[in-house]
Every structure is written in C-alpha cells, then in structure tokens.
Amino acid sequence: MKPRDDDNEAAVLRAHLHDILARKQLSALFQPIVHMPTGEIIAYEGLIRGPSDSPLHSPINLFQAARANGLTVQVEHLCRKVVLERFAELQLPGKLFLNVSPECLLQRDARHGETLEVIHQIGINPERVIIELTENQPTYDYDLMREAVLHYRTMGFQIAIDDLGEGFSSLRLWSELRPEYVKIDMHFIQGINHDPVKLQFVRSIQEIAEKSNTRVIAEGIETQAELLVLRDVGVACGQGYHLGRPHPVPARAAPAEVVKALSRNGVAVYPQRRQDQHNASIHKLLQAVPAVPSSMNNNDVYEIFQQNPKLMIIPVVDDGQPQGLINRFDMIEHFARPYERELYGKKSCRQFMDRKPLIADRNTSLQELSRRMAEADAHHLFNGFMITEHGRYLGMGTGHDLMREITQMQIHAARYANPLTQLPGNVPITEHIDRLLESGTRFWVCYFDLDHFKPFNDVYGYRRGDDVIQLTGNILTAYCDPDRDFVGHIGGDDFMVLFQSEDWERRCQAVLDEFAHHVLNFYSNEDRERGGYISEDRQGKKVFYSLMSLSIGAIRVEPRQYYTHHQIATAAADSKKQAKKIHGNSLFLDRRAPAAAAASAPAAG
C-alpha cells in the first residue's frame, strides 16, 4: 500500500510542477546585502517562492521536485527570468545576486545564453548581475566549471560562491574559480560573538580573501553583536534577518539602528578561547630508550647500567608488550648486599623489576597523565612512564619532563586566561587595548584591586581567599555589557575592565555596592560586628585590619591621547594607588590623565 501512496504523492507534485512552469507561477523576494564600512545596501539576493497554496511553495520542495522529474534546468531558467524581471520592475539599486546551480551553469544547449538574453530584453547591465553558485551536489568537473565561468565573465557577469564552509567542495571551487565574492555559511556566523572557533574560521577566510582580492559576505546575521564582531574582523558585507528579511518589495536602506551601530566608533569584544590543555599529548615527551627482554639475566642488566652511567631506567619488554621497569639504584642496592649477586645474578631480570609501572598510550593528554602520576606512588615520579601505541612499547617519558611541560602550560595558559576565574589574562587585555587605541574611540580603563586581601588570606586561608576572588570576577562580569565592555583578570586580586559603556560610572558603583554586601558573608559574626580582625603585619606586630573593600582607579582615554598599552597600564596603576588612599570601597577618576599622557606622547617630526 505504501509504494502506491508514494506514487500518488509524486504524481501530485509532478502535476503541480508542470502547472507552475506552464503558468509561470513563481514570485520573487529580495534580501538586502549591506556594505559594512558604510551601512549602505549595495546589492540584493534574488530568492524564489512557489504559489502560496502549493506544496511547492518552499524553494527546497520546489527544487527537489524539479530534480526528481528531470526539470531542474527549466525551473532554474524560469526562476532567473522571474527574479530579473521583478528586480528591473522595482528599480532596485545596486547589484543583483542571481542563484545558479553548477549543474545548470554547465548546460551546453541552445539556452546557454538565455540569461543574457533576458537581461538585454529588460535593460539591466550584466555588470550589475552576480552569478551566485549554489551547491546542492558535488562538483567534480572543475575544468568544465572554469570554462563556463569564463564564458559568463566574458559576458560581463561576476561570480559568487554560496555557503562557504557548508558545501561539498566550496573551498576547492574558490581556488579553481577565483570568484569576486564568497558567502560564508550562516553556521559560522550565528553566535560568532560567543564562539572563538567560529571567529578564527571567519578570520582565516577573511585573510585568504584579502590575498585573493575576494569580497566576503557573512550570511545569517541575526544580532547586533554578531554584526559588530564581523565588522571588526574586516568582513566587507553582511546579509541576514538583522539587516533585512526577504521581501517582495524590500527596503532601499538598512535599518537605522544597523547604520548607527556600524558608524559608531569602538570595537566589539571578541570571544576568548579557553586554553584547552587536554589537546597536548604525552607523545611530545617520548624518548627512545632501548628495552631488554625479561629473559635477560640480572648480571647482563647490571652490565648495561655500568656501561651507561647516565642511564637511570631500563624498560623490560617481551614481543612489544611492556612488562616492567628496572631502576638503576634498586639494582645497585641489591647487588651491594652480601650474596645477592651470587644468588640472583643469573636469574631473570624480573627479580628486581617494578612489575606495575605507569603505562600510557601516546595520545594520553599531559593533564591526564599528570593526574595519574599524582595519585600513584612517589617512586613513579623518578622511574617515569612507558609510552605505548596500540599496546606496543614505543619509548619512555620522564616525570621531570612531564612536570616541566605541565608548568610551562600553566604559565602560558595564565597569560591568556586566569585559571581561577577563567577571565582573560594579560595577553588578551593588551590585545583589546591595542584594538581600542587603533579604533580611535573613547573608552575608560578601570583597575580594580582588593584592599586588605593578604591579611584576610592569612587569617581565613587561601581557599576562602580564592572564593573572594571568584566573587569579584563574577560581580564584574554581571555588571558589564558583554558586547562592549572587556573584563580581564590581571592576576591575584587585580582586575581590569575596559569600558565602552557611557554609563561606566554607574556600573562601577553597582559593583562596589554588590561587593560590599556579599563580602560580609566571608567573615565570622564577631569580625563583622567589630568591622575587622586582628592579624600580624610583616614585622610580626599585631594589627587591626578593616574588612575587605574594593578600590577602583579609573582613567578616561580620548582618541590619540595615548599611544601604547604601556602608557595606559601605567596611568591606570597610578589611578589605582590614589583610589587605595581612600578608606573603604572607592572609585577614583584620574582627571590629570590628559596632561600626563600628552607629556609622554611621542615627539612630532
């Protein structure tokens, strides 16, 4: 019964399709494409819809039915004719992006020049039309594609590739056809302000585009935050619901809020990549250490140690399978005992072997092995670990190398993201300041520092101190605009916020109020009631310390007032020192900053 239902449905769709072709029942919609630097609409993409009361109203259903019935070329020709005629009728400004599948582009029939013929009939200059290649199936005949594209370019058309990053072979098409435009698939655009991987993808595409004289169009922009990140990356054009939805009679100008946002100075806050330390594997620690079989006797193993004074560990391996490790000092200690060599010298080296060594596959992360080593007996740190591949011995790694690598990773990671708060560290802070300076916008730098934090740590412990630092980071994040204000953690109890929000002062006051309220929870009832606690200073004297407070040193940065992030860091630190002279929670704005900055500016000439 089921096959007959499917046949009936296919017959109905075929009838609808023939009716649409016979009566030309397609309508055109146009979605604007906005030029990022100016906010102007420079082009429209022509889209198609079937009859509203038809199952083929959706373009997906329409073209599926066309392919199923061998009518793809006829349907595409009608689509292009309808879009071109309506574009001319509306007298829309700018260029028209006209969707063409590679399948139809490669047709070698008498209708090959039909698009040009329609254009001439309705009076549109071919230079205003961009052939947008929409890929629904793989393209393999690249020689034929280049020939077809050359044919269209000779007629005056330009070429665009749609959905870069989504199609079967879009990157290869880009390389082969060298289009004037590439459109990045909306998957990489939506949420780009929260996703550092998407940001890196788009930045890489933009870099390639700049070197190949191609203009990038970002598709699927749905928020202002996405728009501003893309603008800052240097993407030339944008398309999406935030800029304008497809419409039978589209707007001739972008929405006012879009134009205002694009014209506004300032920079978007880029999403920060969390340092994924689990990607680095122990393979980088691999050392080739020759193994011995378990059949070798202890005398022979001892002789190997004697001939190689720097050799500390000998792995024992049978047929590629790790068996254990022999420690140089263990063996020497055994042989130094009376009669041990006589008793065991000719016996298997298994006698003095550590039968439960640390063994890890080459793809094990440094973090995972470090955890295992910390949980294992102490002697493993000296003995090291055996590295395998699919269970077979490859070589050795030392505990010293593992600890050194972990330490370096932590130092590197802390420069990019503080391990306690996960807020951006010194490197991203510096990069964001440089972007702000380059943009020529006004912004405010606020240096946050906890007062009496060290004695609090001494009295209440480092764990409680860490909780206070995390509280501070959370409060700062909560009261800043994530799309305009950059929150960074310099280290310890020092934070920096780079404000573009004009109401920065109100936000800072809210941070102070929130901190003053919540920090009380970290003290005992007795210390809260008397407003402080007794602790020893650095000279060992008993001193009364007030409850922790938050000091904010702020500077305002005007365009061309500062020239380097070093100048800004110095000025902000000076302002923080002034804030800390004020008792309790305080905000100090350094109003002398313009003169100081001018004095330190590079000499002209």
Side-chain angles (χ1 to χ4, degrees):
M1 220 24 224
K2 183 68 175 166
R4 185 171 296 176
D5 289 342
D6 289 344
D7 290 344
N8 289 340
E9 185 178 344
V12 170
L13 291 179
R14 185 162 53 248
H16 274 289
L17 187 60
H18 282 291
D19 189 46
I20 287 170
L21 287 170
R23 298 166 60 188
K24 299 182 180 179
Q25 289 181 308
L26 296 176
S27 56
L29 303 179
F30 298 92
Q31 186 171 27
I33 294 172
V34 173
H35 186 229
M36 295 281 201
T38 63
E40 295 180 289
I41 293 177
I42 60 165
Y44 296 86
E45 180 180 353
L47 303 167
I48 209 75
R49 296 291 183 271
S52 58
D53 59 349
S54 166
L56 302 182
H57 173 70
S58 158
I60 294 176
N61 294 342
L62 177 69
F63 285 104
Q64 279 181 346
R67 278 193 296 276
N69 290 280
L71 294 170
T72 302
V73 175
Q74 291 88 328
V75 170
E76 273 208 34
H77 277 299
L78 178 58
C79 289
R80 295 209 288 272
K81 189 172 189 297
V82 168
V83 168
L84 285 162
E85 288 176 346
R86 184 60 177 158
F87 183 76
E89 182 183 343
L90 292 172
Q91 296 183 334
L92 291 173
K95 297 179 182 289
L96 171 66
F97 280 70
L98 197 61
N99 289 315
V100 178
S101 69
E103 177 187 354
C104 289
L105 192 75
L106 298 176
Q107 288 295 319
R108 291 180 172 276
D109 56 22
R111 309 180 74 185
H112 193 64
E114 182 176 299
T115 301
L116 187 62
E117 184 182 327
V118 172
I119 283 176
H120 285 319
Q121 285 176 358
I122 61 180
I124 297 178
N125 188 328
E127 293 180 358
R128 291 185 62 199
V129 177
I130 292 135
I131 301 296
E132 180 175 333
L133 295 176
T134 56
E135 192 179 26
N136 296 314
Q137 51 192 338
T139 301
Y140 298 118
D141 196 335
Y142 293 102
D143 290 335
L144 197 56
M145 281 291 294
R146 281 198 303 272
E147 183 184 331
V149 164
L150 179 61
H151 176 74
Y152 273 87
R153 280 201 173 110
T154 303
M155 293 189 287
F157 298 104
Q158 289 184 317
I159 304 297
I161 292 177
D162 189 25
D163 292 337
L164 186 72
E166 191 274 339
F168 298 99
S169 52
S170 50
L171 285 173
R172 172 76 185 270
L173 271 180
W174 187 0
S175 174
E176 294 281 356
L177 306 183
R178 304 299 169 93
E180 284 75 18
Y181 297 87
V182 293
K183 286 187 168 185
I184 301 180
D185 180 66
M186 67 175 63
H187 166 78
F188 298 97
I189 303 303
Q190 292 172 355
I192 190 173
N193 53 308
H194 299 302
D195 192 329
V197 175
K198 290 181 179 181
L199 174 63
Q200 186 56 53
F201 176 86
V202 173
R203 291 176 84 167
S204 299
I205 293 301
Q206 177 62 27
E207 187 176 336
I208 296 170
E210 288 171 358
K211 291 177 179 177
S212 58
N213 294 319
T214 303
R215 300 180 85 181
V216 172
I217 301 172
E219 292 187 292
I221 300 173
E222 294 190 351
T223 68
Q224 180 174 295
E226 293 166 356
L227 177 71
L228 294 180
V229 167
L230 293 162
R231 178 199 67 174
D232 286 4
V233 170
V235 170
C237 303
Q239 183 178 352
Y241 284 179
H242 184 64
L243 310 179
R245 291 174 176 266
H247 197 275
V249 185
R252 293 167 182 263
E257 64 270 20
V258 168
V259 177
K260 181 179 178 182
L262 288 172
S263 64
R264 187 175 64 204
N265 282 343
V267 299
V269 177
Y270 285 168
Q272 299 299 314
R273 179 186 293 277
R274 299 287 182 244
Q275 293 301 303
D276 187 1
Q277 299 173 0
H278 296 276
N279 285 339
S281 77
I282 62 171
H283 184 251
K284 66 190 303 183
L285 306 181
L286 179 68
Q287 296 180 15
V289 179
V292 300
S294 63
S295 59
M296 182 177 284
N297 66 41
N298 288 316
N299 283 333
D300 290 342
V301 172
Y302 183 79
E303 190 60 32
I304 294 174
F305 278 127
Q306 291 295 95
Q307 293 174 2
N308 299 274
K310 293 185 178 181
L311 184 63
M312 296 293 128
I313 298 292
I314 293 178
V316 180
V317 178
D318 288 340
D319 298 324
Q321 303 299 310
Q323 303 298 314
L325 295 174
I326 301 174
N327 181 297
R328 176 188 193 90
F329 298 115
D330 284 349
M331 171 152 274
I332 291 174
E333 181 188 356
H334 277 289
F335 272 26
R337 296 172 185 171
Y339 310 116
E340 288 263 332
R341 186 162 189 174
E342 289 79 2
L343 287 171
Y344 301 114
K346 294 183 179 180
K347 292 188 176 181
S348 164
C349 61
R350 283 181 175 274
Q351 187 75 33
F352 302 138
M353 178 181 81
D354 176 5
R355 297 169 183 265
K356 294 183 179 179
L358 271 180
I359 302 174
D361 185 84
R362 58 175 290 183
N363 294 320
T364 303
S365 72
L366 291 167
Q367 292 289 87
E368 169 62 19
L369 185 60
S370 176
R371 182 191 64 77
R372 286 178 55 191
M373 186 164 281
E375 293 174 354
D377 292 340
H379 72 274
H380 290 297
L381 186 61
F382 179 83
N383 283 356
F385 46 93
M386 304 176 84
I387 300 177
T388 61
E389 183 175 36
H390 304 305
R392 297 186 65 80
Y393 175 77
L394 279 185
M396 292 289 298
T398 70
H400 176 269
D401 285 348
L402 175 64
M403 293 301 105
R404 186 190 65 233
E405 196 66 34
I406 288 288
T407 302
Q408 288 299 318
M409 282 171 55
Q410 290 172 340
I411 292 171
H412 177 77
R415 296 176 66 224
Y416 287 87
N418 187 279
L420 181 60
T421 61
Q422 290 301 301
L423 289 171
N426 289 313
V427 171
I429 292 171
T430 297
E431 289 173 350
H432 195 76
I433 291 174
D434 288 340
R435 289 179 58 223
L436 284 164
L437 290 173
E438 189 177 340
S439 75
T441 190
R442 179 173 63 178
F443 63 100
W444 291 264
V445 179
C446 291
Y447 195 141
F448 293 75
D449 187 22
L450 294 174
D451 306 315
H452 312 307
F453 180 71
K454 185 183 183 303
F456 174 86
N457 257 357
D458 294 341
V459 171
Y460 284 91
Y462 286 98
R463 180 65 61 84
R464 189 71 68 92
D466 286 350
D467 291 342
V468 173
I469 288 175
Q470 287 179 319
L471 167 73
T472 308
N474 291 337
I475 292 174
L476 290 176
T477 302
Y479 283 96
C480 291
D481 182 341
D483 298 326
R484 303 203 68 207
D485 306 325
F486 184 99
V487 184
H489 190 170
I490 298 170
D493 59 324
D494 291 3
F495 295 81
M496 183 171 283
V497 179
L498 308 171
F499 282 107
Q500 293 179 81
S501 296
E502 295 285 339
D503 62 345
W504 69 274
E505 201 164 353
R506 179 190 65 78
R507 294 173 186 269
C508 284
Q509 191 57 54
V511 167
L512 293 177
D513 294 343
E514 190 82 359
F515 180 84
H517 173 71
H518 284 287
V519 78
L520 295 175
N521 298 328
F522 292 90
Y523 292 93
S524 66
N525 290 332
E526 181 184 0
D527 287 347
R528 276 203 301 269
E529 287 172 5
R530 64 180 177 178
Y533 50 93
I534 303 293
S535 180
E536 291 185 354
D537 65 9
R538 292 176 181 176
Q539 285 74 42
K541 296 178 182 178
K542 297 287 186 181
V543 176
F544 178 81
Y545 288 99
S546 300
L547 301 181
M548 272 186 295
S549 54
L550 191 58
S551 293
I552 310 173
I555 63 170
R556 183 176 66 187
V557 180
E558 297 287 354
R560 294 173 298 282
Q561 177 186 339
Y562 293 89
Y563 296 89
T564 69
H565 57 260
H566 299 291
Q567 292 174 330
I568 286 178
T570 300
D574 289 343
S575 183
K576 181 203 72 171
K577 290 176 185 175
Q578 296 300 319
K580 290 183 78 68
K581 293 178 181 178
I582 305 170
H583 179 72
N585 294 289
S586 60
L587 168 62
F588 176 82
L589 174 61
D590 189 351
R591 303 184 187 279
R592 302 168 303 162
S600 60

